[in-house]
Amino acid sequence: MALLARDLTSMADTPDEGDGDTTVVTKTKPKTAKPPLYKVLLLNDDYTPMEFVVHVLERFFGVSHSQAVEIMLTVHKKGVAVVGVYSHEIAETKVAQVMDFARRNQHPLQCTMEKEE
């Protein structure tokens, strides 16, 4: 039995005959780029009531009343404000929701999106 164990040990230490080529297999993980983000912009106009804009911000962008008032005032004073940054699909949906809601309520409120740089 001791002889058999010694023979197995010596076999394990020697490389296979005829197999002089050793190949190392490495797996490379492909780098996935983060998807681009898009800014959703609210544009000022002279007809949409401020209260309606505040309501839109609370309803579609989930901001508090005080945050909505701040953003609405920025839109009013500067003509435009970023109301959120999202993936393309979410930004597109937000723009469509705001535009549809504004039209159904007969307001000319404009909402757009642009790629974040």
Side-chain angles (χ1 to χ4, degrees):
M1 188 70 129
L3 181 62
L4 181 60
R6 187 174 51 88
D7 288 343
L8 288 175
T9 304
S10 65
M11 285 176 53
D13 292 340
T14 59
D16 292 340
E17 292 179 30
D19 188 40
D21 185 23
T22 57
T23 305
V24 176
V25 178
T26 59
K27 292 183 181 180
T28 57
K29 290 184 180 180
K31 290 197 175 205
T32 54
K34 288 186 178 181
L37 295 176
Y38 291 80
K39 297 185 283 190
V40 176
L41 307 164
L42 213 52
L43 307 175
N44 189 40
D45 64 73
D46 294 331
Y47 303 101
T48 304
M50 292 179 176
E51 298 82 23
F52 182 78
V53 175
V54 169
H55 178 69
V56 164
L57 291 166
E58 291 172 343
R59 179 173 177 169
F60 296 105
F61 298 95
V63 297
S64 69
H65 184 74
S66 61
Q67 288 173 316
V69 170
E70 274 186 54
I71 295 168
M72 177 274 298
L73 288 173
T74 301
V75 172
H76 181 69
K77 292 175 184 174
K78 295 187 177 184
V80 65
V82 175
V83 294
V85 180
Y86 307 96
S87 67
H88 185 269
E89 292 78 14
I90 294 174
E92 200 171 50
T93 300
K94 297 268 186 200
V95 169
Q97 288 173 329
V98 170
M99 295 295 289
D100 182 56
F101 188 68
R103 297 298 161 265
R104 283 189 283 122
N105 287 277
Q106 300 176 347
H107 294 298
L109 182 64
Q110 293 291 306
C111 186
T112 62
M113 63 186 263
E114 65 182 39
K115 195 172 189 176
E116 187 178 54
E117 296 173 15

